[in-house]
Amino acid sequence: MSHVVLEDVTKRYAGHVALAGVSVSVEQGEMLALLGPSGCGKTTLLRCVAGLTAFDSGRLTIGGVDMTGVPVRRRPIGMVFQSYALFPNLTVRGNIGFPLTVRRETKTGVAERVEEMLELVGLSEQGDRLPNQLSGGQQQRVALARALAPRPEVLLLDEPLSALDAQVRHRLRDEVRRIQHQVGITTVFVTHDQAEALAISDRVAVMNAGDIEQCAAPSEIYTAPSTRFAAGFVGNRNTLELRTSGGRVTAGGAFDVEAPWERVLCMFRPEDVSLRREGPGARALVDVTVFLGATTRVYVQAEVNGSPATVFADLPSRAAASLSPGDAVRLSVDPGHVQVFPA
Amino acid sequence: MRRRIFLGLLGLYFGLPLLAALLYSVATRWTDTPLPDGYTLDHWIGVFGKPDVTSALLRSLLLSAVVVVVDVLLVVPAAYWSVVHNPRIGSVVQTIAVIPFAVPWVVVGAGLQLVTASFAPGLFGTFWLLAAATAAIAFPFMYWAVEGSLIAAGAVRLSEAAATCGANPVQTLTRVIFPAIRGGVVSGALLVVATAMNEFALAKILVGAKFETLPIWSARQFVSRTLGDPNALAVVTIFTFGFLFALSALVVRLGRGRVSTIGRTLR
């Protein structure tokens, strides 16, 4: 049985639909990322699980127990906020111990658990500091330790890394995953950063306009998006709007795939694009090359079914080194990696 | 340069009257000369030996203490509720907070006198009526200070974090919110004390000579010129200023980055 289950949850704000009948479940020990653009309803959904926002209709169960009407403080959750929300008057130890002291646990029990949590997040040396004496990354670790201290059943993370600089964010992202694995806690993680979602979650729920477009493993979301929105939102993709002929779309020889609609959007990733000097494919001219380190992004102007189109390809930098602006190339895409949606 | 001149003039504007009062409080005689004829501490030594002065001072301190307690107990939870749980009532409270400044305090006092005489004669002319009225006119100072602190401290997010930690509303208010806004509460309390210590109109109308506070005593020194003691008045003026100034300094000092008990016990 799934650990956290949301069934047909709806929420409206003054006529605006924040959640349009969302149904999703999270398995025991699983990390589910809610991914989507601003205003898609991902944070509202998380707040509904926490009880900080009441939903209009639907049902939420945690561990099989109906949470409807259960106040926040009685829910078996721990939450980490984007802005950390550490208590400024309490030391690191005070913050981590807070959920335990409000539950009237013994002093010894609190002290032991606090030390355990400090060790888990690697802040044993900073226990007596106040939040304003810590870096952003350290503060977020304290917030994580505070959320985990009372051994909640579900951990809720509301864009916990978005306020950090890139380097710290990447390090902490991996650490959050390590800790989640180590503790084995069911986790719901809200983010607008697709790389973050794909990197650390077991499943990703791509949200748009208050609903879930696709919920699947990161690799599936990346390679086989089921909707046009999911395809466009996750990762970089080329998008070509083309006419079909005889139930197929050929893209001037770049690819040839089935297409059961008259006009279609063909989407494919830049790493699936091949550029050769000669051979089959659509004719194209190299426009710009952008060196990205291991790969180089090559923009080409192609002629697709009689119309000009810009396509970009991510090639290994060594392979792209021979290409210069103005070079004539042949562009092709593996048909198996082209997603087709009605235009 | 202009800024310096402006600040200098401002300093003179505020500083000269205080300096004059200070000099007068230690003057043997000061009539038509630029400076006193001589200096003495007799007025300072003598004034607090006068029963009417000490009684008036104690009454003002008692009034201030009661008003501060009432305002803290009423305003802090109300401001918390309006900021965190019901922002829509914020504008209503803001409007109410303007009333004490829109209506002259003499009118407030006279109105209260009429109302209590008719509907609550037991309260008429009592200290408790004066305390309630002073708390009512001083509450905006507390409200504005506390509201500002709540917003600056991110009280909404802190309350949510406390709730997800399992804290009930009382624990949230006493262990998270109150320590986070302590500076604002103390600033508000200081303004309330200053208001209560210096409040004259309400005290004069509601209790008058029955409960002579320091401002009423001070006024008496002006009215009864033959019996009044202007040097003692200067001493009381400087003392009141010094008292409130010292209180402010203490409050600022105490309010800086203190760690609460829970943090210490868990070390």
Side-chain angles (χ1 to χ4, degrees):
Chain A
M1 191 174 72
S2 298
H3 195 190
V4 179
V5 180
L6 288 138
E7 291 172 42
D8 202 19
V9 172
T10 63
K11 176 70 186 173
R12 280 174 179 272
Y13 289 111
H16 163 71
V17 179
L19 297 174
V22 174
S23 296
V24 67
S25 57
V26 194
E27 302 303 314
Q28 177 77 49
E30 182 186 38
M31 182 183 271
L32 175 77
L34 299 177
L35 174 68
S38 296
C40 71
K42 55 190 188 299
T43 295
T44 304
L45 189 62
L46 190 83
R47 290 175 63 85
C48 285
V49 177
L52 295 169
T53 297
F55 45 81
D56 299 333
S57 64
R59 190 161 179 263
L60 163 71
T61 60
I62 296 177
V65 180
D66 191 347
M67 287 289 130
T68 314
V70 176
V72 183
R73 67 176 191 276
R74 296 202 194 287
R75 297 193 180 199
I77 54 137
M79 187 159 175
V80 176
F81 295 83
Q82 183 179 359
S83 57
Y84 321 132
L86 295 179
F87 307 134
N89 56 303
L90 301 183
T91 61
V92 168
R93 283 197 170 84
N95 267 281
I96 298 172
F98 182 81
L100 306 170
T101 55
V102 297
R103 287 172 168 82
R104 303 192 191 289
E105 293 198 11
T106 63
K107 266 190 176 180
T108 323
V110 173
E112 281 175 8
R113 183 64 177 161
V114 166
E115 294 310 315
E116 198 182 321
M117 288 294 102
L118 281 172
E119 201 173 318
L120 182 73
V121 297
L123 286 176
S124 297
E125 302 298 313
Q126 279 79 32
D128 293 331
R129 292 195 184 173
L130 286 167
N132 63 10
Q133 295 170 319
L134 301 175
S135 68
Q138 288 173 326
Q139 288 187 52
Q140 202 54 295
R141 286 172 199 221
V142 176
L144 185 61
R146 183 180 67 183
L148 291 171
R151 298 181 177 86
E153 287 182 37
V154 181
L155 178 64
L156 305 173
L157 306 169
D158 184 9
E159 306 218 28
L161 309 175
S162 61
L164 304 170
D165 62 61
Q167 207 175 359
V168 178
R169 191 165 64 234
H170 291 155
R171 207 172 55 230
L172 202 53
R173 178 185 77 186
D174 297 342
E175 205 165 320
V176 167
R177 183 56 162 165
R178 173 188 67 78
I179 290 169
Q180 189 262 340
H181 259 295
Q182 193 173 331
V183 178
I185 188 169
T186 307
T187 304
V188 183
F189 181 97
V190 163
T191 181
H192 64 269
D193 184 334
Q194 46 180 289
E196 204 168 275
L198 298 176
I200 71 169
S201 54
D202 297 304
R203 277 192 306 148
V204 179
V206 181
M207 290 191 70
N208 180 36
D211 207 352
I212 292 176
E213 294 256 344
Q214 185 179 10
C215 186
S219 58
E220 191 180 335
I221 292 277
Y222 191 79
T223 56
S226 62
T227 69
R228 186 172 143 184
F229 176 83
F233 187 75
V234 179
N236 294 308
R237 277 176 202 271
N238 288 285
T239 305
L240 299 178
E241 188 174 342
L242 301 168
R243 278 188 182 282
T244 58
S245 172
R248 301 194 73 81
V249 59
T250 56
F255 51 81
D256 183 353
V257 292
E258 271 187 34
W261 304 282
E262 193 182 334
R263 289 187 70 81
V264 292
L265 284 180
C266 295
M267 301 174 113
F268 49 94
R269 297 204 175 278
E271 62 266 31
D272 295 326
V273 177
S274 296
L275 299 177
R276 295 191 188 86
R277 294 282 184 186
E278 291 174 351
R283 291 173 188 281
L285 289 176
V286 175
D287 190 7
V288 181
T289 60
V290 182
F291 179 69
L292 301 173
T295 61
T296 293
R297 181 157 291 178
V298 183
Y299 290 85
V300 298
Q301 290 294 330
E303 195 181 301
V304 180
N305 296 354
S307 305
T310 301
V311 172
F312 60 99
D314 284 347
L315 306 177
S317 288
R318 282 180 192 164
S322 61
L323 296 174
S324 304
D327 287 355
V329 291
R330 293 283 183 165
L331 181 157
S332 62
V333 186
D334 180 348
H337 292 145
V338 178
Q339 275 85 42
V340 182
F341 301 99
Chain B
M1 189 62 189
R2 277 184 186 176
R3 192 170 167 227
R4 283 186 183 175
I5 292 171
F6 175 74
L7 289 175
L9 289 173
L10 205 65
L12 283 176
Y13 181 77
F14 287 109
L16 271 182
L18 280 172
L19 182 66
L22 179 65
L23 286 177
Y24 202 79
S25 74
V26 291
T28 51
R29 186 168 174 277
W30 192 10
T31 50
D32 53 0
T33 50
L35 288 171
D37 296 343
Y39 298 96
T40 176
L41 286 175
D42 286 352
H43 308 304
W44 279 87
I45 295 162
V47 78
F48 293 107
K50 290 184 169 187
D52 57 338
V53 175
T54 49
S55 299
L57 176 63
L58 287 174
R59 285 187 201 106
S60 283
L61 288 173
L62 175 68
L63 178 67
S64 302
V66 171
V67 169
V68 163
V69 170
V70 170
D71 274 348
V72 168
L73 290 178
L74 289 181
V75 174
V76 173
Y80 171 71
W81 186 261
S82 84
V83 170
V84 174
H85 294 290
N86 196 349
R88 277 178 292 183
I89 66 164
S91 55
V92 177
V93 182
Q94 289 283 8
T95 308
I96 294 171
V98 176
I99 292 174
F101 301 97
V103 182
W105 293 358
V106 175
V107 176
V108 174
L112 275 172
Q113 205 179 30
L114 287 172
V115 170
T116 47
S118 305
F119 298 104
L123 270 178
F124 186 79
T126 63
F127 164 77
W128 296 108
L129 179 63
L130 174 63
T134 312
I137 57 147
F139 104 88
F141 296 116
M142 179 65 81
Y143 181 79
W144 288 325
V146 171
E147 188 197 35
S149 292
L150 284 166
I151 293 167
V156 174
R157 193 58 85 219
L158 289 178
S159 297
E160 289 182 348
T164 61
C165 285
N168 63 38
V170 174
Q171 288 170 325
T172 301
L173 195 58
T174 55
R175 294 172 66 173
V176 175
I177 299 298
F178 197 83
I181 61 164
R182 186 175 44 207
V185 175
V186 169
S187 302
L190 192 65
L191 290 168
V192 169
V193 167
T195 307
M197 284 287 286
N198 292 308
E199 202 294 310
F200 174 74
L202 288 176
K204 182 71 181 169
I205 293 168
L206 295 176
V207 289
K210 279 195 289 181
F211 192 83
E212 190 178 68
T213 58
L214 216 49
I216 295 182
W217 177 88
S218 301
R220 187 156 59 81
Q221 306 311 304
F222 277 115
V223 176
S224 51
R225 284 180 184 280
T226 49
L227 298 172
D229 183 347
N231 292 97
L233 181 58
V235 170
V236 166
T237 303
I238 294 297
F239 173 80
T240 310
F241 172 78
F243 171 72
L244 290 173
F245 189 80
L247 203 60
S248 310
L250 187 71
V251 158
V252 170
R253 193 176 171 78
L254 290 179
R256 279 187 196 146
R258 288 181 65 197
V259 180
S260 81
T261 329
I262 179 175
R264 291 202 200 100
T265 53
L266 284 169
R267 277 180 184 179

